Amino acid sequence: MELAAKGVSGTIAISVPAREYASVFLGCGVVYSAFRPQLDSSPLGSQFASAARLAPQRPVVRLIPTRNTTAFVGILNEVVNKHNRESYNVSGGWFPADRYRIDVLRWPDALRDFQGQSRVLEELDILSGAEGLFPGAATDFCGFSALHCVIVGNGRVIQEESEALIAASETEGPVPLRALLRPRAVLDKAEQFRSVLVSGREDPEDYRELVASRKPKVAILDAAATVCRWLGAGMAPITVALVERTAPSSEAAADVLDRYRARSVQDLPLPGDLVRVPAGIEVLAWQSRDGNP
C-alpha cells in the first residue's frame, strides 16, 4: 500500500517455505490499509443529492441501514423528494433517505441478474467480537462493497484458510480472518466484499481488463503455478507474487520473475510495512515499466 500511495507501479516477489495463509494475511493487510469510511449516519450525511444523479432503473444498489443491520438489494428505480420527504424506490419498495445509504454495486453484479425481481432482504454479516478488528464502524466496513485487492489462486483453499480464527481482544471470542478479508468469488451475487477471488486456472485474458478497470490497489498471485500463468496480467498497480520454494513449479516461477525483473526500471527498497521480514522469507521489489508488471 505504501508503494501504491506513492504512485509506483511494481512487483513484490515473496519466496516462502510454504504458501499456507500467506495470501490471506496479505489480503487482510491490503484491505485494512485501503479502507476509507463511507457511512455517515448524520442527517448531513444523506446521499440523496448524489443518488438523484444516478440513471433511473439502471444501477443495482444495496441499501445500508444507519439504525440496524437489515439491508436490501435491488434496482434503484427512483429518487423522490415529495412532501418534504426524501425517499428511494428500490425494486418497488420505498425507503426513507435519512435511514439508508446507498452502496452502488458496480461489479461483479450485473443489472440483468436483478431485473424482474423484488428487492432482496439480507442481514449484514457483522460477526460478534469483530468490531475491534475493523478499521472503522462495523456497519460501514461490512455493508459497503469496495474492491481493495484481488487474490488469484485456488479459491476453495483460500476460502478455507480465511476461516482461521484470530482474537480481536482479550475479552471477545475469536473471529475468522474472513471478517476482515471479506472475500467474494467472481460469480457470487450481491455479496458485500473487500476482496475478490479469481481461480488461478482461468484464462488471465478473461479478467485482465475486467479487474483492472475496477482499480484494485493490489493483485496477489497465490502460489508458484499461479505466478507462472498470471504474472503478465497487470490487474493492479502493485502485484505481489507468492512463490513457495517446495512447489514443483517454483523454479519456473523464479525464471518468470527474473525475466520481468530484467525488464524493470529499477529495484525498489522494501516498503516500511515489509521491512521486518520473518526468517525464512525472502522479498524483492522492483518498479515496472509502463504496461508491464
Side-chain angles (χ1 to χ4, degrees):
M1 290 306 302
E2 184 178 318
L3 291 176
K6 294 178 179 178
V8 175
S9 296
T11 300
I12 301 176
I14 304 179
S15 171
V16 295
R19 53 141 302 279
E20 284 86 356
Y21 300 100
S23 61
V24 174
F25 283 122
L26 281 169
C28 286
V30 172
V31 167
Y32 195 94
S33 59
F35 173 79
R36 297 293 180 272
Q38 300 182 66
L39 178 64
D40 183 349
S41 59
S42 71
L44 296 178
S46 172
Q47 292 177 304
F48 183 83
S50 58
R53 293 193 290 269
L54 296 172
Q57 300 180 353
R58 295 298 302 170
V60 178
V61 300
R62 173 178 292 106
L63 292 168
I64 310 297
T66 59
R67 304 180 187 179
N68 57 57
T69 59
T70 302
F72 298 88
V73 177
I75 297 175
L76 179 64
N77 294 325
E78 292 182 274
V79 177
V80 176
N81 186 347
K82 189 174 183 180
H83 305 304
N84 294 321
R85 185 174 180 83
E86 298 174 338
S87 303
Y88 305 129
N89 183 309
V90 175
S91 295
W94 290 94
F95 300 86
D98 61 346
R99 296 182 61 181
Y100 292 91
R101 301 297 180 263
I102 288 180
D103 175 27
V104 180
L105 308 184
R106 295 185 174 89
W107 181 82
D109 304 290
L111 184 70
R112 63 179 179 275
D113 295 328
F114 298 89
Q115 287 175 332
Q117 299 184 30
S118 59
R119 60 196 179 280
V120 179
L121 181 150
E122 66 176 18
E123 292 295 327
L124 298 183
D125 181 21
I126 302 176
L127 297 177
S128 176
E131 289 83 354
L133 292 174
F134 297 142
T139 301
D140 189 350
F141 186 84
C142 296
F144 287 89
S145 301
L147 180 55
H148 291 159
C149 73
V150 55
I151 303 178
V152 184
N154 187 322
R156 178 185 58 79
V157 172
I158 296 169
Q159 288 277 21
E160 290 176 354
E161 291 173 349
S162 70
E163 294 297 330
L165 298 178
I166 55 175
S169 70
E170 295 181 357
T171 58
E172 299 286 354
V175 296
L177 282 168
R178 64 173 167 81
L180 186 56
L181 182 62
R182 301 201 65 78
R184 165 182 173 161
V186 171
L187 297 181
D188 291 342
K189 302 299 180 189
E191 291 187 6
Q192 308 97 2
F193 65 98
R194 297 286 172 176
S195 60
V196 168
L197 306 182
V198 178
S199 172
R201 295 185 177 183
E202 299 287 349
D203 185 347
E205 289 299 327
D206 292 340
Y207 293 92
R208 182 200 307 269
E209 294 184 6
L210 178 66
V211 175
S213 64
R214 271 65 184 188
K215 303 185 185 309
K217 303 297 187 297
V218 177
I220 299 171
L221 309 183
D222 182 38
T226 301
V227 170
C228 292
R229 185 175 177 84
W230 283 79
L231 188 60
M235 296 180 292
I238 302 299
T239 297
V240 178
L242 289 170
V243 177
E244 70 281 25
R245 290 191 289 273
T246 57
S249 53
S250 61
E251 291 187 7
D255 289 341
V256 171
L257 289 166
D258 282 342
R259 290 199 300 271
Y260 278 95
R261 182 189 175 194
R263 301 201 300 265
S264 66
V265 176
Q266 62 180 344
D267 286 346
L268 296 170
L270 291 182
D273 47 6
L274 283 178
V275 168
R276 293 191 295 176
V277 178
I281 297 178
E282 300 173 352
V283 183
L284 182 64
W286 60 84
Q287 183 176 357
S288 305
R289 298 186 185 278
D290 291 343
N292 292 294

